Amino acid sequence: MTKLPWLNLTRTVRFGDTDAAGVMHFHQLLRWCHEAWEESLELYGIEAKAVFPGCRGQERWPDTALPVVHCSASFKKAVYGGDRLVVTLTPQQIDQGCFEVRSQFLLNNQNVAAGLIRHVAIHTETHQRCPLPDAISLWIEAAQIGQVREL
Amino acid sequence: MTKLPWLNLTRTVRFGDTDAAGVMHFHQLLRWCHEAWEESLELYGIEAKAVFPGCRGQERWPDTALPVVHCSASFKKAVYGGDRLVVTLTPQQIDQGCFEVRSQFLLNNQNVAAGLIRHVAIHTETHQRCPLPDAISLWIEAAQIGQVREL
Amino acid sequence: MTKLPWLNLTRTVRFGDTDAAGVMHFHQLLRWCHEAWEESLELYGIEAKAVFPGCRGQERWPDTALPVVHCSASFKKAVYGGDRLVVTLTPQQIDQGCFEVRSQFLLNNQNVAAGLIRHVAIHTETHQRCPLPDAISLWIEAAQIGQVREL
Amino acid sequence: MTKLPWLNLTRTVRFGDTDAAGVMHFHQLLRWCHEAWEESLELYGIEAKAVFPGCRGQERWPDTALPVVHCSASFKKAVYGGDRLVVTLTPQQIDQGCFEVRSQFLLNNQNVAAGLIRHVAIHTETHQRCPLPDAISLWIEAAQIGQVREL
């Protein structure tokens, strides 16, 4: 597991994330995965407006959009309100215009859940597939170098 | 209370709307208020793309945007998963460029909660205040005629 | 594809389901999958309180809980606010104590997205794996008979 | 404004908090208000399980529940994805068994939005009104002493 700080986040489960069974409602985890990705980009130094449409001070949207084409999540242990989770991100480039981010959720060093989000890059105007934006490629590369260093 | 069908909706509380206290999590009600307004417009015959940005087949966004400037909600009785609520909408024009929609939530003819959302009209381009779009004015007017008829 | 009415639902995409890219925000689909399952049970005649904890008038929680252990979703076409989707459910029993529900989302007879939620049955008290509750087994069986009939 | 660190939080607006108009979707603010309250309790030193039901290791629920009876929000300026907001909380006891928390949201020292959540205390078993739990009273009192000190 990498120890790069911008790939190792924390998240406290909030009361509104739970349901009447008394545990986290399942789809909240995928919201956390996306938010963890956004937080990681921010910590690494990529501004939201370089990647996401609809940001303050954007004269126009970024040339490339990154729609989600697939996501999944697995739940191993119940997660409760107040739980303080460690979230570890592992990005991987799939091809020139596709990448995915795995998120491991740990409580006291135990895996409790994992999620995955896969994005493709498309031209904002034409909606045609295109290469990943440089900022995202750099972030993925830096994550992999971080993993190599620990070997 | 009006009996116009497009102002009297139903909503079943879903499991994901609840929290670990076993009842509806409070802010879901404001989501329901907005969704009830959208459903009412739809039932009255106003297409989403006439009012909301980002709809299919829109060559450009509507000239007028309707941002929320205020909202509130009051909770009188606990609402549980599986509850089948009646939602009654009462729109009111506040001034030429401002309106609000009250939503009453009833279970077995008892008020359990109420919400209010106030919107202003602004030009999409300039963000300056402007009159309400015709479609919204017609919907508000039709709602008030419906209320008069019952007197 | 089955034509049983309680496996073929409709859902209009609401404005709050979208994000600043102008299309449905990805994880909303998994919320819709769970809500479609709940609606299907309701239409088939199973009361929420027979399956879900935290319902009105429940003297105690159902003996069996059905936590989600896995979910996934794939997105083929952009989905916009105001889109009126058909949602077709296909339940499948995996083993005595595990089942999954696939949801196909169609717009004008075109697949736009699909989701899957897998549940296991556990005793509410002991958290040990156990067989599915009868109501769920009946619902799955009835769905498969519906599919056979169409052959 | 108080400078107590556990009443002054930050929150970055995430992409999934926006809608197709390109700005924060209104009801997310009330989610943030509740989450900010939870974070403030945590920072002050009150464990989630002392206040909220459904937490890990709780032998039973807290004796007192704190349902929301009213909430409201006002929106002064558009809030965009990526905005880094300062959230300032001001709790106030209304009577022996009722309190509210105001949340001011600032961007670059400008008020952009404000929210309010009012809770009452009820016995978990009987649902009768009762005094606030000690932990909450202490938190409110400490907040007010913090405000006095700055005079």
Side-chain angles (χ1 to χ4, degrees), chain D residues 19-55:
Chain D
D19 62 29
V23 294
M24 178 198 63
H25 191 63
F26 81 106
H27 63 64
Q28 304 289 354
L29 195 95
L30 287 155
R31 180 165 63 82
W32 301 351
C33 289
H34 201 285
E35 292 181 359
W37 172 51
E38 294 176 63
E39 187 180 342
S40 177
L41 294 178
E42 188 185 7
L43 290 171
Y44 182 66
I46 299 170
E47 286 186 291
K49 69 180 176 188
V51 175
F52 299 103
C55 294

mmCIF file of all heavy atoms in Angstrom, chain D residues 19-55:
data_model
loop_
_atom_site.group_PDB
_atom_site.id
_atom_site.type_symbol
_atom_site.label_atom_id
_atom_site.label_comp_id
_atom_site.label_asym_id
_atom_site.label_seq_id
_atom_site.Cartn_x
_atom_site.Cartn_y
_atom_site.Cartn_z
ATOM 1 N N ASP D 19 -25.660 20.699 -9.422
ATOM 2 C CA ASP D 19 -26.688 20.221 -10.344
ATOM 3 C C ASP D 19 -26.426 20.806 -11.730
ATOM 4 O O ASP D 19 -25.413 21.479 -11.941
ATOM 5 C CB ASP D 19 -28.095 20.536 -9.827
ATOM 6 C CG ASP D 19 -28.359 22.033 -9.681
ATOM 7 O OD1 ASP D 19 -27.759 22.841 -10.436
ATOM 8 O OD2 ASP D 19 -29.166 22.399 -8.820
ATOM 9 N N ALA D 20 -27.322 20.538 -12.657
ATOM 10 C CA ALA D 20 -27.076 20.910 -14.053
ATOM 11 C C ALA D 20 -27.042 22.419 -14.281
ATOM 12 O O ALA D 20 -26.652 22.870 -15.354
ATOM 13 C CB ALA D 20 -28.120 20.260 -14.963
ATOM 14 N N ALA D 21 -27.448 23.220 -13.294
ATOM 15 C CA ALA D 21 -27.278 24.668 -13.414
ATOM 16 C C ALA D 21 -25.829 25.061 -13.120
ATOM 17 O O ALA D 21 -25.459 26.225 -13.253
ATOM 18 C CB ALA D 21 -28.229 25.405 -12.478
ATOM 19 N N GLY D 22 -25.015 24.099 -12.695
ATOM 20 C CA GLY D 22 -23.587 24.334 -12.520
ATOM 21 C C GLY D 22 -23.216 24.813 -11.127
ATOM 22 O O GLY D 22 -22.062 25.130 -10.871
ATOM 23 N N VAL D 23 -24.175 24.850 -10.220
ATOM 24 C CA VAL D 23 -23.915 25.321 -8.855
ATOM 25 C C VAL D 23 -24.421 24.285 -7.843
ATOM 26 O O VAL D 23 -25.114 23.337 -8.193
ATOM 27 C CB VAL D 23 -24.595 26.685 -8.597
ATOM 28 C CG1 VAL D 23 -23.966 27.758 -9.477
ATOM 29 C CG2 VAL D 23 -26.099 26.614 -8.849
ATOM 30 N N MET D 24 -24.080 24.497 -6.581
ATOM 31 C CA MET D 24 -24.548 23.597 -5.523
ATOM 32 C C MET D 24 -26.059 23.410 -5.572
ATOM 33 O O MET D 24 -26.783 24.384 -5.687
ATOM 34 C CB MET D 24 -24.171 24.181 -4.154
ATOM 35 C CG MET D 24 -24.666 23.328 -2.985
ATOM 36 S SD MET D 24 -24.676 24.294 -1.434
ATOM 37 C CE MET D 24 -25.889 25.569 -1.862
ATOM 38 N N HIS D 25 -26.527 22.171 -5.479
ATOM 39 C CA HIS D 25 -27.967 21.924 -5.403
ATOM 40 C C HIS D 25 -28.424 22.246 -3.983
ATOM 41 O O HIS D 25 -27.812 21.796 -3.016
ATOM 42 C CB HIS D 25 -28.289 20.479 -5.781
ATOM 43 C CG HIS D 25 -29.744 20.241 -5.977
ATOM 44 N ND1 HIS D 25 -30.472 20.861 -6.971
ATOM 45 C CD2 HIS D 25 -30.634 19.488 -5.293
ATOM 46 C CE1 HIS D 25 -31.738 20.477 -6.900
ATOM 47 N NE2 HIS D 25 -31.849 19.649 -5.889
ATOM 48 N N PHE D 26 -29.495 23.011 -3.856
ATOM 49 C CA PHE D 26 -29.841 23.705 -2.611
ATOM 50 C C PHE D 26 -29.852 22.825 -1.354
ATOM 51 O O PHE D 26 -29.346 23.227 -0.315
ATOM 52 C CB PHE D 26 -31.179 24.444 -2.780
ATOM 53 C CG PHE D 26 -32.398 23.577 -2.610
ATOM 54 C CD1 PHE D 26 -33.169 23.662 -1.466
ATOM 55 C CD2 PHE D 26 -32.768 22.659 -3.585
ATOM 56 C CE1 PHE D 26 -34.280 22.849 -1.306
ATOM 57 C CE2 PHE D 26 -33.877 21.856 -3.431
ATOM 58 C CZ PHE D 26 -34.636 21.945 -2.295
ATOM 59 N N HIS D 27 -30.440 21.619 -1.426
ATOM 60 C CA HIS D 27 -30.643 20.884 -0.170
ATOM 61 C C HIS D 27 -29.360 20.258 0.358
ATOM 62 O O HIS D 27 -29.326 19.820 1.514
ATOM 63 C CB HIS D 27 -31.768 19.862 -0.275
ATOM 64 C CG HIS D 27 -31.548 18.756 -1.258
ATOM 65 N ND1 HIS D 27 -30.542 17.837 -1.141
ATOM 66 C CD2 HIS D 27 -32.224 18.427 -2.372
ATOM 67 C CE1 HIS D 27 -30.617 16.992 -2.145
ATOM 68 N NE2 HIS D 27 -31.617 17.321 -2.925
ATOM 69 N N GLN D 28 -28.305 20.241 -0.456
ATOM 70 C CA GLN D 28 -27.019 19.745 0.062
ATOM 71 C C GLN D 28 -26.569 20.587 1.254
ATOM 72 O O GLN D 28 -25.906 20.084 2.175
ATOM 73 C CB GLN D 28 -25.936 19.780 -1.028
ATOM 74 C CG GLN D 28 -26.296 19.019 -2.298
ATOM 75 C CD GLN D 28 -26.293 17.504 -2.126
ATOM 76 O OE1 GLN D 28 -25.916 16.982 -1.085
ATOM 77 N NE2 GLN D 28 -26.742 16.810 -3.153
ATOM 78 N N LEU D 29 -26.927 21.877 1.244
ATOM 79 C CA LEU D 29 -26.486 22.755 2.326
ATOM 80 C C LEU D 29 -26.984 22.266 3.683
ATOM 81 O O LEU D 29 -26.262 22.364 4.689
ATOM 82 C CB LEU D 29 -26.971 24.191 2.089
ATOM 83 C CG LEU D 29 -26.249 25.218 2.960
ATOM 84 C CD1 LEU D 29 -25.079 25.839 2.191
ATOM 85 C CD2 LEU D 29 -27.173 26.316 3.452
ATOM 86 N N LEU D 30 -28.195 21.729 3.710
ATOM 87 C CA LEU D 30 -28.722 21.255 5.000
ATOM 88 C C LEU D 30 -28.023 19.982 5.440
ATOM 89 O O LEU D 30 -27.816 19.755 6.638
ATOM 90 C CB LEU D 30 -30.242 21.111 4.926
ATOM 91 C CG LEU D 30 -30.895 22.506 4.919
ATOM 92 C CD1 LEU D 30 -32.257 22.495 4.275
ATOM 93 C CD2 LEU D 30 -30.957 23.066 6.336
ATOM 94 N N ARG D 31 -27.594 19.173 4.477
ATOM 95 C CA ARG D 31 -26.732 18.028 4.820
ATOM 96 C C ARG D 31 -25.428 18.533 5.436
ATOM 97 O O ARG D 31 -24.986 18.018 6.476
ATOM 98 C CB ARG D 31 -26.452 17.178 3.578
ATOM 99 C CG ARG D 31 -25.565 15.976 3.850
ATOM 100 C CD ARG D 31 -25.568 14.940 2.737
ATOM 101 N NE ARG D 31 -25.047 15.419 1.488
ATOM 102 C CZ ARG D 31 -23.744 15.501 1.176
ATOM 103 N NH1 ARG D 31 -22.833 15.131 2.060
ATOM 104 N NH2 ARG D 31 -23.360 15.934 0.002
ATOM 105 N N TRP D 32 -24.831 19.545 4.830
ATOM 106 C CA TRP D 32 -23.568 20.081 5.351
ATOM 107 C C TRP D 32 -23.758 20.635 6.760
ATOM 108 O O TRP D 32 -22.859 20.516 7.596
ATOM 109 C CB TRP D 32 -23.037 21.190 4.455
ATOM 110 C CG TRP D 32 -22.770 20.798 3.047
ATOM 111 C CD1 TRP D 32 -22.781 19.538 2.515
ATOM 112 C CD2 TRP D 32 -22.462 21.681 1.970
ATOM 113 N NE1 TRP D 32 -22.501 19.593 1.176
ATOM 114 C CE2 TRP D 32 -22.305 20.882 0.818
ATOM 115 C CE3 TRP D 32 -22.306 23.054 1.863
ATOM 116 C CZ2 TRP D 32 -21.991 21.435 -0.425
ATOM 117 C CZ3 TRP D 32 -21.995 23.605 0.640
ATOM 118 C CH2 TRP D 32 -21.836 22.796 -0.493
ATOM 119 N N CYS D 33 -24.913 21.305 7.010
ATOM 120 C CA CYS D 33 -25.169 21.873 8.341
ATOM 121 C C CYS D 33 -25.151 20.764 9.401
ATOM 122 O O CYS D 33 -24.537 20.917 10.453
ATOM 123 C CB CYS D 33 -26.535 22.574 8.374
ATOM 124 S SG CYS D 33 -26.582 24.115 7.447
ATOM 125 N N HIS D 34 -25.824 19.659 9.113
ATOM 126 C CA HIS D 34 -25.884 18.557 10.081
ATOM 127 C C HIS D 34 -24.507 17.928 10.245
ATOM 128 O O HIS D 34 -24.068 17.628 11.367
ATOM 129 C CB HIS D 34 -26.907 17.505 9.636
ATOM 130 C CG HIS D 34 -27.413 16.633 10.735
ATOM 131 N ND1 HIS D 34 -26.667 15.621 11.280
ATOM 132 C CD2 HIS D 34 -28.583 16.629 11.415
ATOM 133 C CE1 HIS D 34 -27.371 15.025 12.243
ATOM 134 N NE2 HIS D 34 -28.531 15.613 12.340
ATOM 135 N N GLU D 35 -23.805 17.736 9.138
ATOM 136 C CA GLU D 35 -22.472 17.132 9.201
ATOM 137 C C GLU D 35 -21.493 18.053 9.934
ATOM 138 O O GLU D 35 -20.614 17.575 10.655
ATOM 139 C CB GLU D 35 -21.971 16.810 7.789
ATOM 140 C CG GLU D 35 -22.771 15.681 7.142
ATOM 141 C CD GLU D 35 -22.306 15.312 5.741
ATOM 142 O OE1 GLU D 35 -21.352 15.934 5.229
ATOM 143 O OE2 GLU D 35 -22.900 14.391 5.147
ATOM 144 N N ALA D 36 -21.654 19.371 9.756
ATOM 145 C CA ALA D 36 -20.784 20.324 10.461
ATOM 146 C C ALA D 36 -21.036 20.240 11.964
ATOM 147 O O ALA D 36 -20.100 20.289 12.773
ATOM 148 C CB ALA D 36 -21.027 21.745 9.949
ATOM 149 N N TRP D 37 -22.308 20.092 12.336
ATOM 150 C CA TRP D 37 -22.641 19.930 13.757
ATOM 151 C C TRP D 37 -21.972 18.671 14.315
ATOM 152 O O TRP D 37 -21.353 18.690 15.384
ATOM 153 C CB TRP D 37 -24.168 19.876 13.923
ATOM 154 C CG TRP D 37 -24.625 19.535 15.299
ATOM 155 C CD1 TRP D 37 -24.234 20.133 16.470
ATOM 156 C CD2 TRP D 37 -25.556 18.513 15.664
ATOM 157 N NE1 TRP D 37 -24.871 19.539 17.537
ATOM 158 C CE2 TRP D 37 -25.689 18.542 17.061
ATOM 159 C CE3 TRP D 37 -26.303 17.581 14.946
ATOM 160 C CZ2 TRP D 37 -26.525 17.677 17.762
ATOM 161 C CZ3 TRP D 37 -27.140 16.715 15.629
ATOM 162 C CH2 TRP D 37 -27.244 16.767 17.018
ATOM 163 N N GLU D 38 -22.059 17.576 13.580
ATOM 164 C CA GLU D 38 -21.447 16.314 14.016
ATOM 165 C C GLU D 38 -19.931 16.464 14.136
ATOM 166 O O GLU D 38 -19.323 15.965 15.090
ATOM 167 C CB GLU D 38 -21.774 15.189 13.032
ATOM 168 C CG GLU D 38 -23.255 14.832 12.986
ATOM 169 C CD GLU D 38 -23.559 13.771 11.933
ATOM 170 O OE1 GLU D 38 -23.063 12.649 12.058
ATOM 171 O OE2 GLU D 38 -24.290 14.085 10.967
ATOM 172 N N GLU D 39 -19.333 17.161 13.165
ATOM 173 C CA GLU D 39 -17.880 17.358 13.191
ATOM 174 C C GLU D 39 -17.488 18.226 14.386
ATOM 175 O O GLU D 39 -16.462 17.972 15.039
ATOM 176 C CB GLU D 39 -17.425 18.014 11.878
ATOM 177 C CG GLU D 39 -15.913 18.089 11.755
ATOM 178 C CD GLU D 39 -15.459 18.739 10.451
ATOM 179 O OE1 GLU D 39 -16.276 18.824 9.498
ATOM 180 O OE2 GLU D 39 -14.288 19.174 10.390
ATOM 181 N N SER D 40 -18.309 19.227 14.684
ATOM 182 C CA SER D 40 -18.010 20.109 15.808
ATOM 183 C C SER D 40 -18.053 19.343 17.133
ATOM 184 O O SER D 40 -17.167 19.495 17.980
ATOM 185 C CB SER D 40 -19.007 21.267 15.824
ATOM 186 O OG SER D 40 -18.772 22.081 16.953
ATOM 187 N N LEU D 41 -19.073 18.505 17.296
ATOM 188 C CA LEU D 41 -19.146 17.671 18.516
ATOM 189 C C LEU D 41 -17.902 16.795 18.632
ATOM 190 O O LEU D 41 -17.304 16.678 19.706
ATOM 191 C CB LEU D 41 -20.398 16.787 18.483
ATOM 192 C CG LEU D 41 -21.755 17.490 18.539
ATOM 193 C CD1 LEU D 41 -22.879 16.457 18.456
ATOM 194 C CD2 LEU D 41 -21.899 18.328 19.807
ATOM 195 N N GLU D 42 -17.507 16.202 17.511
ATOM 196 C CA GLU D 42 -16.340 15.311 17.483
ATOM 197 C C GLU D 42 -15.069 16.077 17.884
ATOM 198 O O GLU D 42 -14.285 15.608 18.715
ATOM 199 C CB GLU D 42 -16.201 14.769 16.054
ATOM 200 C CG GLU D 42 -15.183 13.681 15.848
ATOM 201 C CD GLU D 42 -15.063 13.308 14.359
ATOM 202 O OE1 GLU D 42 -15.669 13.995 13.492
ATOM 203 O OE2 GLU D 42 -14.336 12.345 14.060
ATOM 204 N N LEU D 43 -14.895 17.264 17.305
ATOM 205 C CA LEU D 43 -13.706 18.062 17.601
ATOM 206 C C LEU D 43 -13.708 18.540 19.054
ATOM 207 O O LEU D 43 -12.657 18.672 19.679
ATOM 208 C CB LEU D 43 -13.630 19.277 16.666
ATOM 209 C CG LEU D 43 -13.308 18.981 15.208
ATOM 210 C CD1 LEU D 43 -13.475 20.238 14.365
ATOM 211 C CD2 LEU D 43 -11.887 18.427 15.066
ATOM 212 N N TYR D 44 -14.907 18.787 19.586
ATOM 213 C CA TYR D 44 -15.010 19.240 20.966
ATOM 214 C C TYR D 44 -14.725 18.099 21.937
ATOM 215 O O TYR D 44 -14.402 18.318 23.099
ATOM 216 C CB TYR D 44 -16.409 19.823 21.213
ATOM 217 C CG TYR D 44 -16.601 20.365 22.597
ATOM 218 C CD1 TYR D 44 -15.896 21.482 23.046
ATOM 219 C CD2 TYR D 44 -17.491 19.753 23.482
ATOM 220 C CE1 TYR D 44 -16.070 21.975 24.319
ATOM 221 C CE2 TYR D 44 -17.676 20.238 24.759
ATOM 222 C CZ TYR D 44 -16.964 21.353 25.172
ATOM 223 O OH TYR D 44 -17.130 21.835 26.448
ATOM 224 N N GLY D 45 -14.871 16.868 21.452
ATOM 225 C CA GLY D 45 -14.536 15.726 22.291
ATOM 226 C C GLY D 45 -15.722 14.845 22.663
ATOM 227 O O GLY D 45 -15.609 13.981 23.540
ATOM 228 N N ILE D 46 -16.867 15.067 22.022
ATOM 229 C CA ILE D 46 -18.048 14.237 22.303
ATOM 230 C C ILE D 46 -18.104 13.112 21.277
ATOM 231 O O ILE D 46 -18.124 13.362 20.073
ATOM 232 C CB ILE D 46 -19.337 15.094 22.225
ATOM 233 C CG1 ILE D 46 -19.277 16.211 23.269
ATOM 234 C CG2 ILE D 46 -20.575 14.225 22.380
ATOM 235 C CD1 ILE D 46 -20.373 17.257 23.113
ATOM 236 N N GLU D 47 -18.097 11.886 21.739
ATOM 237 C CA GLU D 47 -18.152 10.749 20.826
ATOM 238 C C GLU D 47 -19.543 10.623 20.201
ATOM 239 O O GLU D 47 -20.551 10.861 20.870
ATOM 240 C CB GLU D 47 -17.821 9.464 21.571
ATOM 241 C CG GLU D 47 -16.346 9.326 21.900
ATOM 242 C CD GLU D 47 -16.080 7.967 22.498
ATOM 243 O OE1 GLU D 47 -16.541 7.731 23.640
ATOM 244 O OE2 GLU D 47 -15.425 7.142 21.825
ATOM 245 N N ALA D 48 -19.581 10.207 18.939
ATOM 246 C CA ALA D 48 -20.855 10.036 18.232
ATOM 247 C C ALA D 48 -21.803 9.150 19.030
ATOM 248 O O ALA D 48 -23.002 9.432 19.137
ATOM 249 C CB ALA D 48 -20.602 9.446 16.844
ATOM 250 N N LYS D 49 -21.271 8.101 19.640
ATOM 251 C CA LYS D 49 -22.150 7.146 20.323
ATOM 252 C C LYS D 49 -22.797 7.720 21.580
ATOM 253 O O LYS D 49 -23.726 7.120 22.127
ATOM 254 C CB LYS D 49 -21.390 5.853 20.641
ATOM 255 C CG LYS D 49 -20.318 5.980 21.701
ATOM 256 C CD LYS D 49 -19.646 4.625 21.917
ATOM 257 C CE LYS D 49 -18.497 4.755 22.902
ATOM 258 N NZ LYS D 49 -17.711 3.528 22.985
ATOM 259 N N ALA D 50 -22.309 8.871 22.053
ATOM 260 C CA ALA D 50 -22.936 9.524 23.204
ATOM 261 C C ALA D 50 -24.200 10.276 22.797
ATOM 262 O O ALA D 50 -25.032 10.603 23.644
ATOM 263 C CB ALA D 50 -21.952 10.492 23.867
ATOM 264 N N VAL D 51 -24.346 10.543 21.512
ATOM 265 C CA VAL D 51 -25.439 11.396 21.047
ATOM 266 C C VAL D 51 -26.337 10.680 20.039
ATOM 267 O O VAL D 51 -27.568 10.812 20.086
ATOM 268 C CB VAL D 51 -24.866 12.688 20.400
ATOM 269 C CG1 VAL D 51 -25.977 13.543 19.794
ATOM 270 C CG2 VAL D 51 -24.056 13.482 21.414
ATOM 271 N N PHE D 52 -25.746 9.898 19.126
ATOM 272 C CA PHE D 52 -26.509 9.343 18.009
ATOM 273 C C PHE D 52 -26.771 7.855 18.212
ATOM 274 O O PHE D 52 -25.903 7.133 18.709
ATOM 275 C CB PHE D 52 -25.748 9.557 16.698
ATOM 276 C CG PHE D 52 -25.521 11.008 16.395
ATOM 277 C CD1 PHE D 52 -24.276 11.592 16.603
ATOM 278 C CD2 PHE D 52 -26.561 11.795 15.930
ATOM 279 C CE1 PHE D 52 -24.074 12.939 16.353
ATOM 280 C CE2 PHE D 52 -26.363 13.149 15.690
ATOM 281 C CZ PHE D 52 -25.115 13.719 15.891
ATOM 282 N N PRO D 53 -27.938 7.387 17.801
ATOM 283 C CA PRO D 53 -28.201 5.944 17.842
ATOM 284 C C PRO D 53 -27.446 5.256 16.704
ATOM 285 O O PRO D 53 -27.037 5.900 15.735
ATOM 286 C CB PRO D 53 -29.710 5.859 17.612
ATOM 287 C CG PRO D 53 -30.062 7.086 16.849
ATOM 288 C CD PRO D 53 -29.077 8.150 17.272
ATOM 289 N N GLY D 54 -27.263 3.956 16.832
ATOM 290 C CA GLY D 54 -26.714 3.171 15.736
ATOM 291 C C GLY D 54 -25.211 3.255 15.603
ATOM 292 O O GLY D 54 -24.682 3.048 14.517
ATOM 293 N N CYS D 55 -24.501 3.545 16.701
ATOM 294 C CA CYS D 55 -23.038 3.632 16.611
ATOM 295 C C CYS D 55 -22.396 2.325 17.090
ATOM 296 O O CYS D 55 -22.995 1.544 17.835
ATOM 297 C CB CYS D 55 -22.521 4.816 17.419
ATOM 298 S SG CYS D 55 -23.063 6.399 16.729
#
